[in-house]
Amino acid sequence: MRFSKQRELIKNIVQTTNLHPTADWIYKKAKKNISNISLGTIYRNLSQLNQDGIINIIYDNNKARYDWNTVSHDHLKCNKCGDITDIHMHTEELQKKVWNQYKFEADNIEINITGICNKH
Amino acid sequence: MRFSKQRELIKNIVQTTNLHPTADWIYKKAKKNISNISLGTIYRNLSQLNQDGIINIIYDNNKARYDWNTVSHDHLKCNKCGDITDIHMHTEELQKKVWNQYKFEADNIEINITGICNKH
DNA sequence: ATAGTAATAGGAATTATTACTATTTATAAA
DNA sequence: TTTATAAATAGTAATAATTCCTATTACTAT
Ligand SMILES: [Mn+2]
Ligand SMILES: [Mn+2]
Ligand SMILES: [Zn+2]
Ligand SMILES: [Zn+2]
């Protein structure tokens, strides 16, 4: 993978927010630095960065969000303000359980909890 | 909500499969009975049925799937064959945990586990 | 039967994402 | 340094999933 200032910028944007931004949010932010950057470049680089284990993708209903935190963790999504916050459930236990009970070899466990956050 | 043969058919299709079908799968199946049914009707009725608690919606990456089983449960998705199977984790504990630790009032907990199923 | 209401079909619009292509750019060899 | 070339880019078109719109149809209560 060759260096590009676009990829560097995109990586930096993702790595300096905890908002779990969408591609479009990242695109708007990136345009402030590189005004003619294209949305295709955003998507291409986000998926490259994901493939290289540098960032994570999470799915919020029918859109992707990007997470700087590649360590396995889970999310709380507030129905009122839309905020997504990190939590850590102990998925190792679940992983064991699905193996023991279903002989299912889990490689990823994602827990998405929706409800009302403590700001309301 | 008034009776309609379209809604009855859509409900029946969802309630007689455990495949967690997409809107498009349901559409194709429905057309065999009502050849001029429209995709808009599929979506409208699926979301009505969901609002009335008759069926459930689950999100598989960036598309919706529909589940006849409205009792809280979770899913295993196989990366090889794409099959989605039901499991039951004990989410009551998780619900308590997020309340105690984060004061987050959970109304829905979805656990999505991907990996390799016991058919491979 | 008629009127009022609720549902429909069909297509247009929207949103998120991917694909295509001509041009530019990073890197490494000559 | 110049040059070769593979990778990346901008811009645009295409696709996929979903929602919105509107004229028409079907039920229901008078
Ligand atoms: Mn996170
Ligand atoms: Mn299910
Ligand atoms: Zn909130
Ligand atoms: Zn499988």
Side-chain angles (χ1 to χ4, degrees):
Chain A
M1 189 159 56
R2 227 168 50 178
F3 170 90
S4 87
K5 67 177 201 283
Q6 288 87 345
R7 185 181 306 116
E8 217 56 21
L9 172 61
I10 291 162
K11 183 166 68 175
N12 191 256
I13 289 171
V14 174
Q15 288 180 336
T16 56
T17 182
N18 211 18
L19 294 174
H20 304 86
T22 61
D24 200 60
W25 189 93
I26 295 162
Y27 176 51
K28 285 184 178 117
K29 196 122 202 265
K31 280 211 283 196
K32 289 175 186 168
N33 284 262
I34 301 174
S35 62
N36 69 333
I37 198 168
S38 90
L39 191 53
T41 298
I42 304 290
Y43 275 105
R44 181 168 14 81
N45 281 297
L46 287 169
S47 77
Q48 272 174 153
L49 291 166
N50 175 246
Q51 271 160 38
D52 289 18
I54 294 161
I55 64 170
N56 257 148
I57 302 182
I58 63 174
Y59 290 96
D60 173 21
N61 288 359
N62 56 355
K63 70 166 79 79
R65 291 182 174 272
Y66 300 86
D67 196 333
W68 64 270
N69 188 354
T70 56
V71 173
S72 168
H73 66 287
D74 309 286
H75 297 98
L76 296 176
K77 169 152 191 212
C78 179
N79 289 329
K80 288 212 171 169
C81 60
D83 283 6
I84 294 176
T85 53
D86 294 330
I87 54 168
H88 193 276
M89 300 279 115
H90 289 282
T91 54
E92 307 80 30
E93 296 162 29
L94 297 182
Q95 186 158 8
K96 277 183 197 155
K97 191 173 169 178
V98 296
W99 176 249
N100 292 333
Q101 290 187 12
Y102 306 95
K103 296 290 174 260
F104 187 94
E105 218 177 311
D107 62 24
N108 185 261
I109 299 186
E110 229 180 86
I111 303 182
N112 291 302
I113 303 179
T114 59
I116 296 169
C117 82
N118 59 22
K119 291 195 289 294
H120 315 281
Chain B
M1 187 159 56
R2 227 167 52 180
F3 172 89
S4 86
K5 66 178 203 283
Q6 287 86 348
R7 186 182 307 114
E8 216 55 21
L9 173 60
I10 291 162
K11 183 167 70 175
N12 190 257
I13 288 171
V14 174
Q15 287 180 338
T16 55
T17 182
N18 211 19
L19 294 174
H20 304 86
T22 62
D24 200 59
W25 190 93
I26 295 162
Y27 176 51
K28 286 184 178 114
K29 196 123 201 266
K31 281 211 283 197
K32 289 175 186 169
N33 284 263
I34 301 173
S35 63
N36 70 335
I37 197 168
S38 87
L39 193 51
T41 298
I42 303 291
Y43 275 106
R44 180 167 17 80
N45 282 296
L46 285 170
S47 78
Q48 274 176 151
L49 290 166
N50 175 246
Q51 271 159 37
D52 288 19
I54 294 161
I55 64 170
N56 257 147
I57 302 182
I58 63 174
Y59 289 96
D60 173 22
N61 287 357
N62 54 357
K63 70 166 79 79
R65 291 180 175 273
Y66 300 86
D67 196 332
W68 64 271
N69 188 354
T70 56
V71 173
S72 168
H73 67 286
D74 310 286
H75 298 96
L76 295 176
K77 170 154 190 212
C78 179
N79 289 329
K80 288 211 171 171
C81 60
D83 283 7
I84 294 176
T85 54
D86 295 329
I87 54 168
H88 194 277
M89 301 278 113
H90 289 282
T91 54
E92 307 80 31
E93 296 161 29
L94 298 181
Q95 187 158 7
K96 276 182 196 154
K97 190 174 169 176
V98 297
W99 176 250
N100 292 332
Q101 290 187 12
Y102 306 95
K103 296 289 174 260
F104 187 94
E105 218 177 312
D107 63 24
N108 185 261
I109 299 185
E110 215 179 292
I111 302 182
N112 290 303
I113 304 179
T114 59
I116 296 169
C117 81
N118 59 23
K119 291 195 289 293
H120 314 282

